[in-house]
Amino acid sequence: MSFNLAARLAARHTDNLYRQRPLLQSPQGPVVQVDGKEYVAFSSNDYLGLANHPEVIAAMQQGAAQWGVGGGASHLVIGHSEPHHQLEQALAEFTGRERVLLMSSGYMANLAVITALVGKGDTVLHDRLNHASLLDGGLLSGARFSRYLHNDMASLSQRLQRAQGNTLLVTDGVFSMDGDLAQLPELAAQAKAHNAWLMVDDAHGFGVLGQTGGGLVEHYALSTEDVPVLVGTLGKSFGTSGAFIAGSEELIETLIQFARPYIYTTSSPPAVACATLASLHLLQTEHWRREHLQQLIAQFRQGAQALGLNLMDSPTPIQPILIGDSGQAMAISAQLREQGVLVGAIRPPTVPVGSARLRITLTAAHTAEQVQQLLDALAVCQLEVSNE
Ligand SMILES: *Cc1c(COP(=O)(O)O)cnc(C)c1O
């Protein structure tokens, strides 16, 4: 009785915030089967189209044959196997950092780093639009917690001046729901000036940005000194699962000793590390995937502008269309679905209240024809056009 779950669930419905899980009945890809119907989908984070790539699948199969399925124990006990170790070394080379620590998920990686580096008496500064896992890491750490206005250096500077103790400045690289970029060179300069450390979670930048897919830090050519803590996830452009933290030898050793979300969990299946080694190779060498993606982004933005849609300032495969009202975002998502196009409606609390949006994501596996199909479907929907 006292929990009153029924009332909470009912309120979620009346607020148009009730969430349902679409049932995926095919592998991830530009065309998927969902709830018994086929759609052209623009909603996954498989930006390079590697989640169902034959070479990655083969690497996972061979990995499972050689290493079995389960990790079997935590890394510190006896779960740290050779494929995990090889992947850490390959990712260190890829990111140009001294050392890398492999984690089971990005959510855990962020909890691990923040709680190991700061605590009571310290300060964590967040961009307002940071991913939930970064905010949760800050809360769990017990450090003083403050959010600055999105990408606003003046707002950040005020907070840096008031910061106490060890200060960690935390930002998404590519903002996950908006697609825009953190101003990393400015952030790195501010951090340095105030003796703070900059931590970048580039979940959506790796694979997509940079000449070899090294993400926003490669794009801006920033060193370990500029960005002492770099987080990447493996479930997006890499197409597999897990995450990594890259930095100095000392940082990684500190995490191994003190990061509870690293210490107290079973290692991920070694075969997943084998698959990720294969996808890392494709991600680095098949530059055409990034080029094709950029062409699709340009095509989509041109077409959407011609339709007068509310595009955001995004140079990345995340191309949201701002709607505002949650009910309307859901209605438009349903209209698209009727036309065979799947796009997620993202609502609060994932995004700020009043900024519900269609989160369109493009991937290297899409064709120009499929992007045109999306634009044609959007043209039919009753969308508010921008008044610019
Ligand atoms: C997806 C995402 C995460 C979480 O990564 P998982 O591996 O899915 O747990 C963390 N940070 C950002 C910015 C993300 O977009």
Side-chain angles (χ1 to χ4, degrees):
M1 264 299 267
S2 63
F3 286 92
N4 216 346
L5 304 186
R8 284 175 70 192
L9 290 171
R12 198 91 170 173
H13 267 299
T14 32
D15 295 342
N16 283 315
L17 295 179
Y18 203 82
R19 283 126 196 275
Q20 268 159 323
R21 303 172 302 173
L23 185 61
L24 182 64
Q25 296 160 318
S26 66
Q28 212 57 261
V31 178
V32 292
Q33 174 98 9
V34 171
D35 295 325
K37 263 189 74 182
E38 198 167 87
Y39 297 95
V40 183
F42 297 90
S43 34
S44 87
N45 301 316
D46 179 25
Y47 301 121
L48 297 182
L50 297 179
N52 191 32
H53 191 286
E55 283 177 40
V56 181
I57 296 169
M60 184 137 159
Q61 283 169 335
Q62 281 161 20
Q66 190 175 353
W67 299 96
V69 176
S74 66
H75 282 272
L76 291 178
V77 177
I78 192 164
H80 186 64
S81 64
E82 223 158 80
H84 295 128
H85 204 69
Q86 278 173 12
L87 178 57
E88 288 184 345
Q89 287 171 336
L91 287 169
E93 197 169 315
F94 169 58
T95 55
R97 265 55 183 169
E98 275 178 12
R99 203 170 163 194
V100 154
L101 190 68
L102 191 62
M103 299 284 307
S104 300
S105 79
Y107 190 100
M108 288 169 69
N110 287 334
L111 293 191
V113 177
I114 300 175
T115 58
L117 291 182
V118 292
K120 277 203 173 55
D122 296 326
T123 304
V124 183
L125 299 178
H126 283 286
D127 187 290
R128 277 198 78 77
L129 297 188
N130 274 355
H131 190 263
S133 57
L134 294 168
L135 301 174
D136 291 355
L139 289 171
L140 186 62
S141 74
R144 274 180 42 160
F145 182 103
S146 174
R147 295 161 83 183
Y148 56 92
L149 298 176
H150 178 52
N151 257 338
D152 185 324
M153 295 305 128
S155 167
L156 168 62
S157 174
Q158 279 175 0
R159 284 165 175 76
L160 273 169
Q161 276 158 24
R162 291 199 302 263
Q164 290 168 5
N166 289 326
T167 301
L168 193 60
L169 166 54
V170 181
T171 186
D172 278 24
V174 172
F175 287 89
S176 55
M177 296 300 135
D178 295 61
D180 60 338
L181 310 181
Q183 296 166 22
L184 289 193
E186 288 85 346
L187 290 171
Q190 289 237 17
K192 234 178 256 178
H194 290 88
N195 243 333
W197 273 18
L198 177 58
M199 167 177 176
V200 176
D201 172 0
D202 205 16
H204 300 272
F206 276 108
V208 170
L209 302 173
Q211 192 58 32
T212 65
L216 202 55
V217 294
E218 185 185 19
H219 175 78
Y220 285 128
L222 297 175
S223 65
T224 308
E225 210 183 279
D226 300 316
V227 182
V229 186
L230 179 59
V231 172
T233 66
L234 303 173
K236 287 158 185 159
S237 284
F238 284 84
T240 58
S241 177
F244 63 90
I245 302 152
S248 69
E249 174 70 35
E250 215 171 46
L251 170 74
I252 299 308
E253 202 50 44
T254 300
L255 297 175
I256 292 172
Q257 301 303 322
F258 298 107
R260 295 166 64 89
Y262 180 72
I263 298 168
Y264 298 107
T265 196
T266 300
S267 66
S268 55
V272 174
C274 298
T276 306
L277 278 163
S279 76
L280 172 61
H281 180 71
L282 294 168
L283 177 150
Q284 285 184 274
T285 54
E286 296 197 342
H287 193 61
W288 66 264
R289 292 178 189 273
R290 279 179 284 282
E291 283 166 7
H292 178 57
L293 197 45
Q294 286 308 321
Q295 282 165 7
L296 297 180
I297 293 167
Q299 178 196 351
F300 175 76
R301 288 186 67 86
Q302 252 170 22
Q305 257 148 16
L307 293 173
L309 301 178
N310 270 324
L311 280 178
M312 291 187 178
D313 177 26
S314 164
T316 68
I318 303 167
Q319 291 293 328
I321 295 177
L322 190 61
I323 305 294
D325 178 68
S326 292
Q328 207 194 347
M330 298 248 290
I332 295 164
S333 171
Q335 285 174 27
L336 289 171
R337 217 172 318 133
E338 276 162 31
Q339 300 174 75
V341 171
L342 201 72
V343 172
I346 306 288
R347 293 163 285 162
T350 307
V351 293
V353 172
S355 74
R357 66 201 62 181
L358 300 173
R359 182 175 182 268
I360 292 166
T361 50
L362 303 168
T363 78
H366 284 115
T367 62
E369 291 71 31
Q370 287 166 333
V371 172
Q372 190 54 51
Q373 193 180 337
L374 166 65
L375 289 165
D376 293 344
L378 283 167
V380 173
C381 292
Q382 267 88 61
L383 276 160
E384 295 276 317
V385 297
S386 73
N387 356 308
E388 286 166 66

